[in-house]
């Protein structure tokens, strides 16, 4: 446990993400008032410049007006329901964004604009940002770490420092519930949530209750992580490794109905590696 004893939990998480090939930047630096702003306002949770670049890069034959229409579909909420928005954006991530395109012969046809390159992980833009301040409906909150892929916030990590008051998995989970209620825009595209108290770590889906936040016990699937090794490292390297994360988004996140409610189900490590 020496890593977490000697270093802030957040710094350790960022270091592990950097090992996976993520670019790591400070939320202050790229915030609206930062030295290299990538957000026009604190209510903006999507890194629009990176998203625009990805849409252009992954859809080189798509006309500019079609790319602009894709961006609008991603940025504008169609429903006040967070889970309905999440299901819509998840479908876009996996299947592409439907958009109309005017052909050379002046007819109108449909295209699917790709948001992720599932074949070549390195064709995507991987970014980990700490201390991301979001202001929405007068609520001012700061997420510990947000994982962006192609400018979209697909992962949120809530990390507690050992010894702090409320530094428990329950405390971290409850904090995420507060964020979902107060700054829901941060979670519209979310794929994975992670909580850690510095010793233990769990991951879950957008709708998962506390019991459904589960440990991820292996990195590669070949063997379980040694007992006593930092659980947060195992979760991050097991889930957020680029190839595995894309596979998880594409094939191991599903929506269903339970007691009349829409639920999002994230596969456990044993299901993911059993395929």
């Amino acid at each position: 446990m020496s890593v977490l004893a000697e270093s802030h939990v957040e710094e350790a998480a960022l270091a592990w993400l950097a090992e996976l090939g993520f670019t790591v930047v400070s939320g202050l630096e790229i915030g609206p008032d930062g030295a290299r702003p990538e957000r026009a306002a604190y209510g903006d949770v999507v890194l629009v410049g990176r998203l625009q670049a990805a849409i252009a890069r992954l859809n080189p034959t798509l006309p500019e007006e079609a790319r602009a229409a894709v961006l609008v579909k991603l940025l504008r909420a169609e429903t006040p329901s967070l889970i309905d928005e999440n299901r819509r954006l998840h479908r876009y991530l996996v299947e592409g964004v439907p958009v109309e395109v005017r052909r050379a012969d002046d007819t109108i046809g449909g295209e699917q604009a790709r948001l992720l390159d599932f074949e070549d992980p390195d064709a995507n833009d991987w970014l980990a940002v700490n201390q991301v301040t979001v202001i929405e409906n007068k609520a001012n909150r700061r997420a510990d770490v947000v994982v962006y892929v192609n400018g979209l916030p697909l992962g949120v990590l809530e990390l507690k420092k050992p010894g702090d008051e409320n530094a428990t998995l329950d405390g971290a989970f409850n904090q995420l519930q507060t964020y979902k209620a107060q700054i829901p825009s941060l979670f519209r595209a979310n794929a994975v949530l992670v909580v850690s108290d510095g010793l233990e770590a769990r991951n879950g889906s957008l709708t998962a209750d506390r019991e459904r936040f589960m440990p991820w016990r292996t990195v590669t699937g070949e063997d379980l992580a040694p007992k006593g090794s930092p659980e947060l490292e195992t979760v991050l390297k097991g889930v957020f490794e680029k190839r595995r994360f894309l596979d998880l988004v594409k094939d191991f996140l599903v929506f269903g109905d339970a007691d009349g409610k829409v639920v999002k189900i994230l596969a456990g490590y044993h299901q993911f590696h059993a395929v």
Side-chain angles (χ1 to χ4, degrees), residues 170-182:
D170 288 346
F173 173 82
N174 291 335
Q175 188 86 318
L176 283 181
Q177 306 319 300
T178 299
Y179 289 174
K180 284 181 351 189
Q182 296 185 347

Side-chain angles (χ1 to χ4, degrees), residues 1 75 81 84 95-96 124 146 149 161 171 222 237:
M1 302 306 299
L75 297 180
S81 164
D84 287 344
E95 301 174 4
N124 302 293
V146 178
V149 187
K161 288 179 285 187
E222 293 175 6
K237 292 185 176 179

Side-chain angles (χ1 to χ4, degrees), residues 90-104:
H90 177 74
R91 187 170 64 248
Y92 289 169
L93 287 170
V94 174
E95 301 174 4
V97 182
V99 63
E100 290 187 341
V101 175
R102 185 175 295 278
R103 313 278 192 209

